[in-house]
């Protein structure tokens, strides 16, 4: 599926929306996995875990998106330490649920590609540390790399300018 202007417009509208309830409602109704993925990639984590939770609860959220969110939320630390962080209990609860949902197969592989954002050395170390069920965290998912166009700054530059203007 190609990323067209309507997808970019939808993501921008959601990202710039200041009414969190409106964003949560729109995310819960969204049926396009690409929009969910691109939104998650551009999400401002300073805004908390409520919106990422809504993305993950959407039935159209693919495994690639769940894994990307896992790593964006510092999943590498979670799987290497596998301990609750009592200084950040909201993060610990979020990560524990996401980890469990991923390892129990809640999310299905769709059309979106994903490669763990890890070095070869990190992957090597994790391959020794993880059990077979956890190898999903270091496995590539074949599909369309829908974020490739973002390297041209179609959304990212606009987003950072908009976010800075809001503050």
């Amino acid at each position: 599926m190609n990323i067209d202007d309507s997808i970019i417009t939808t993501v921008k509208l959601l990202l710039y929306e200041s009414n969190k309830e409106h964003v949560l409602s729109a995310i819960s109704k969204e049926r396009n996995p690409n929009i969910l993925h691109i939104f998650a990639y551009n999400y401002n984590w300073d805004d908390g875990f409520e919106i990422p939770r809504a993305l993950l609860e959407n039935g159209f959220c693919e495994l690639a998106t769940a894994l990307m969110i896992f790593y964006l939320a510092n999943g590498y630390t979670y799987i290497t330490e596998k301990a609750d962080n009592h200084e950040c209990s909201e993060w610990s609860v979020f990560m524990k649920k996401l980890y469990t949902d991923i390892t129990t197969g809640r999310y299905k592989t769709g059309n979106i590609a994903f490669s763990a954002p890890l070095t070869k050395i990190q992957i090597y170390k994790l391959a020794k540390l993880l059990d077979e069920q956890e190898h999903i965290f270091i496995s590539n998912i074949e599909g369309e790399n829908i974020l490739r166009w973002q390297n041209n700054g179609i959304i990212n530059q606009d987003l950072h300018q908009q976010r800075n203007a809001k503050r």
Side-chain angles (χ1 to χ4, degrees):
M1 177 180 209
N2 290 333
I3 304 302
D4 60 28
D5 289 340
S6 68
I7 290 176
I8 294 169
T9 300
T10 301
V11 171
K12 283 183 177 182
L13 288 172
L14 286 172
L15 288 166
Y16 300 153
E17 175 61 56
S18 59
N19 182 330
K20 187 184 272 190
E21 294 306 315
H22 176 76
V23 174
L24 290 169
S25 174
I27 287 171
S28 71
K29 296 173 188 170
E30 185 56 58
R31 300 176 59 86
N32 185 329
N34 291 344
I35 289 174
L36 297 173
H37 193 81
I38 295 167
F39 181 90
Y41 178 77
N42 287 283
Y43 178 69
N44 180 0
W45 284 88
D46 291 342
D47 294 337
F49 293 98
E50 189 174 7
I51 290 175
R53 266 193 290 275
L55 287 163
L56 293 163
E57 293 297 321
N58 184 303
F60 291 91
C61 180
E62 294 184 6
L63 177 60
T65 304
L67 286 167
M68 181 183 66
I69 290 171
F70 181 82
Y71 280 106
L72 288 172
N74 200 10
Y76 182 76
T77 298
Y78 185 82
I79 58 176
T80 55
E81 296 179 9
K82 291 186 183 160
D84 289 338
N85 182 340
H86 297 290
E87 292 178 15
C88 190
S89 61
E90 186 178 11
W91 175 81
S92 293
V93 169
F94 177 83
M95 294 305 292
K96 188 177 214 171
K97 179 168 181 2
L98 180 52
Y99 170 88
T100 301
D101 287 348
I102 290 170
T103 57
T104 58
R106 175 185 173 145
Y107 304 103
K108 303 301 177 209
T109 301
N111 295 320
I112 301 172
F114 179 79
S115 294
L118 303 170
T119 66
K120 288 180 182 181
I121 293 171
Q122 288 173 316
I123 291 171
Y124 177 78
K125 287 179 179 180
L126 283 177
K128 290 183 163 201
L129 177 70
L130 302 177
D131 64 31
E132 186 177 325
Q133 184 181 19
E134 295 172 309
H135 274 247
I136 190 70
F137 293 104
I138 57 173
S139 300
N140 291 334
I141 297 175
E142 299 296 321
E144 184 179 2
N145 182 4
I146 65 170
L147 297 177
R148 72 182 178 281
W149 56 269
Q150 288 208 332
N151 293 332
N152 296 326
I154 293 172
I155 284 186
N156 271 347
Q157 289 177 357
D158 286 348
L159 286 178
H160 294 295
Q161 289 171 354
Q162 287 275 343
R163 286 185 188 140
N164 290 335
K166 282 183 179 179
R167 291 180 182 181

